[in-house]
């Protein structure tokens, strides 16, 4: 028996909105829930952030955009040790919690392999968030400096031991 894995999709664009909206054809489960509003995925995820968090639309879009950049950076560089602060992590969690969308992201951009979320309990205070922002910039992402600096040294407790988690 021969098993072949799909190659991850090329990400020639560095526009988080385009990258997220491109996931739509790869969503195969709970499609009524996802598409019944008629909104593009970007607008859906922003609307969910606004539903669940006290923030204005501009902030929700900034958080989501940087969350997409982080997710793509972690997918494209599975051996890089990356982490986010509390603010950008709100957007990362939004993507993960909308599981049909998360699976679509994994299907399209991670070769069909599930990207796990396995945080430790304790937050880190070693500057990983700032280093991650610098790393993403070096990869061509136009990060929101303010969002990465606001948490600076206080990073999410992401698992650095498992290449397929973040």
């Amino acid at each position: 028996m021969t098993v072949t894995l799909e190659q991850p999709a090329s990400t020639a664009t560095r526009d988080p909105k385009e990258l997220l909206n491109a996931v739509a054809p790869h969503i195969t489960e709970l499609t009524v829930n996802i598409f019944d509003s008629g909104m593009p995925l970007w607008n859906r995820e922003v609307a969910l952030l606004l539903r669940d968090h006290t923030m204005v639309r501009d902030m929700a879009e900034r958080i989501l955009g940087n969350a997409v950049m982080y997710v793509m950076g972690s997918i494209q560089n599975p051996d890089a040790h990356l982490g986010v602060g509390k603010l950008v992590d709100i957007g990362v969690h939004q993507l993960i919690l909308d599981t049909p969308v998360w699976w679509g992201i994994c299907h399209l951009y991670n070769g069909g392999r599930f990207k796990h979320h396995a945080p430790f309990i304790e937050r880190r205070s070693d500057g990983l968030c700032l280093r991650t922002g610098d790393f993403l910039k070096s990869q061509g992402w136009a990060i929101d400096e303010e969002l990465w600096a606001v948490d600076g040294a206080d990073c999410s407790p992401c698992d650095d031991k498992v290449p397929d988690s973040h």
Side-chain angles (χ1 to χ4, degrees):
M1 176 195 326
T2 303
V3 177
T4 57
L5 290 176
E6 293 180 36
Q7 291 299 313
S10 170
T11 52
T13 182
R14 288 291 193 219
D15 180 347
K17 189 174 185 177
E18 287 179 27
L19 290 166
L20 185 55
N21 285 336
V23 172
H26 301 274
I27 296 174
T28 57
E29 297 169 17
L30 299 173
T31 55
V32 171
N33 298 36
I34 303 298
F35 300 119
D36 65 351
S37 69
M39 291 186 218
L41 290 181
W42 176 266
N43 291 357
R44 173 186 165 75
E45 299 308 313
V46 167
L48 289 169
L49 283 170
L50 291 171
R51 181 195 74 186
D52 294 338
H53 302 280
T54 304
M55 65 178 76
V56 296
R57 184 175 182 89
D58 177 66
M59 181 58 79
E61 289 184 342
R62 290 170 62 194
I63 289 170
L64 183 60
N66 281 266
V68 170
M69 292 177 212
Y70 168 75
V71 166
M72 296 305 299
S74 69
I75 285 172
Q76 294 169 347
N77 303 279
D79 294 325
H81 188 122
L82 305 175
V84 295
K86 292 178 184 178
L87 202 50
V88 175
D89 209 23
I90 293 169
V92 174
H93 287 162
Q94 177 53 53
L95 294 170
I96 293 168
L97 288 173
D98 201 352
T99 59
V101 173
W102 183 247
W103 177 241
I105 289 169
C106 293
H107 183 262
L108 178 60
Y109 296 119
N110 201 34
R113 293 177 309 277
F114 190 77
K115 185 83 168 163
H116 294 280
H117 181 58
F120 292 117
I121 301 300
E122 298 297 320
R123 289 203 168 269
R124 301 169 54 130
S125 298
D126 62 359
L128 179 62
C129 186
L130 293 173
R131 291 192 305 276
T132 298
D134 290 341
F135 177 81
L136 293 174
K137 281 192 299 189
S138 78
Q139 299 293 300
W141 297 101
I143 69 163
D144 185 321
E145 301 271 352
E146 187 177 36
L147 292 184
W148 290 91
V150 72
D151 291 310
D154 191 20
C155 298
S156 63
C158 294
D159 183 356
D160 65 340
K161 307 293 185 282
V162 184
D164 215 19
S165 73
H166 74 89

